[in-house]
């Protein structure tokens, strides 16, 4: 039992965290040209792909259109995103409308892929996720903001899955949060690093996939996950700086966002407890 616990801890926390830091350094040193900086964010995608392989198994050539296809989706998102980042490194800076359009197209493809059909629920999921993606891109001028949101949301998803006894998705979420934390180490010292498609189409998309997997396991978990979604909009409070106590103004914006995200996580956890209780009756 001890070996299993320590092995899982190493694979889900230690390895993704330090592995992402090391990979980001290798990509930064080995990269050449304009794509070097933007490709550093691909390190999060590689870490996320590793977590998926560890928890769900190495993807094979038999592709299914359901929640079990998560490893394939992450791998496709990583490879396609890294290819665009390499060939068109300035796309996100110069042509934001094209960037957002590609994001929405990929999101629609992912939702259709994992649900296996296009219906009213799929459209609703797309609209909610589209709002989240749009806000994340709006904040991407400070790359730490979307990265922190990934970490915090992943921790929230892990908590919800843990309460619901959905252990595979709990492990996936913890692994994604560790990968995001590793990338945040780089962002704290290299704040000018841009976030590429490889980040949004792998690590960011992983949050959507984990959320859908949790809802599939327990449909009542849709409520706590919707509550958790407010994590992505805590930045709206930052616009009311005049109302802040002087004490809070001394902290960096990402730290304040992280602190404000505690409330949605607590409320989502409470909702998950209620959902778990109802499902057991």
């Amino acid at each position: 039992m001890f070996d299993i616990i320590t092995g899982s801890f190493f694979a889900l926390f230690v390895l993704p965290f330090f592995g992402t830091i090391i990979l980001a350094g290798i990509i930064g040193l080995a990269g050449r040209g304009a794509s070097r900086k933007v490709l550093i964010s691909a390190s999060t995608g590689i870490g996320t792909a590793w977590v998926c392989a560890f928890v769900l198994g190495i993807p094979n050539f038999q592709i299914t259109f359901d929640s079990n296809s998560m490893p394939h989706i992450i791998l496709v998102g990583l490879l396609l995103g890294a290819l665009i980042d390499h060939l068109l490194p300035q796309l996100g800076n110069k042509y934001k409308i094209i960037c957002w359009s590609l994001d929405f197209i990929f999101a629609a493809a992912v939702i259709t892929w994992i649900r296996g059909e296009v219906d009213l629920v799929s459209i609703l999921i797309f609209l909610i996720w589209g709002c989240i993606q749009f806000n994340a891109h709006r904040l991407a001028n400070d790359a730490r903001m979307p990265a922190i949101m990934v970490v915090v949301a992943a921790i929230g998803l892990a908590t919800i899955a843990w309460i619901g006894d959905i252990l595979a998705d709990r492990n996936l979420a913890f692994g994604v949060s560790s990968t995001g934390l590793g990338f945040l180490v780089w962002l704290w010292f290299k704040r000018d690093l841009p976030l590429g498609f490889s980040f949004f189409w792998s690590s960011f998309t992983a949050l959507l996939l984990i959320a859908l997997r949790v809802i599939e396991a327990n449909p009542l978990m849709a409520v706590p996950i919707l509550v958790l979604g407010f994590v992505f909009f805590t930045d709206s409070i930052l616009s009311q700086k005049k109302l802040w106590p002087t004490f809070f103004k001394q902290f960096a914006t990402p730290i304040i966002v992280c602190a404000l995200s505690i409330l949605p996580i607590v409320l989502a956890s409470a909702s998950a407890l209620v959902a778990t209780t109802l499902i057991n009756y």
Side-chain angles (χ1 to χ4, degrees), residues 56 59-74 76 109-117 209 213 216:
L56 302 177
N60 52 37
F61 292 104
Q62 184 177 357
I63 299 175
T64 58
F65 292 92
D66 53 30
S67 60
N68 295 320
S69 59
M70 181 175 176
H72 295 95
I73 295 173
I74 295 299
V76 169
V110 167
I111 293 169
T112 304
W113 187 344
I114 201 168
R115 286 188 53 80
E117 61 179 351
L209 298 175
R213 284 172 55 89
E216 183 181 273

Side-chain angles (χ1 to χ4, degrees), residues 87-161:
L87 297 177
L88 303 168
Q90 300 299 325
L91 182 62
N93 294 327
K94 293 183 177 180
Y95 306 101
K96 291 190 179 296
I97 294 180
I98 296 177
C99 178
W100 294 340
S101 299
L102 289 174
D103 268 342
F104 291 146
I105 291 171
F106 183 77
V110 167
I111 293 169
T112 304
W113 187 344
I114 201 168
R115 286 188 53 80
E117 61 179 351
V118 178
D119 55 7
L120 184 60
V121 175
S122 299
I123 295 172
L124 181 61
I125 294 170
F126 174 76
L127 291 175
I128 295 172
W129 187 246
C131 292
I132 291 173
Q133 278 193 315
F134 179 81
N135 197 52
H137 276 289
R138 184 177 63 83
L139 299 171
N141 289 333
D142 184 348
R144 295 174 301 172
M145 296 289 283
I148 278 184
M149 288 178 173
V150 166
V151 172
V152 174
I155 292 173
L157 283 172
T159 305
I160 292 171

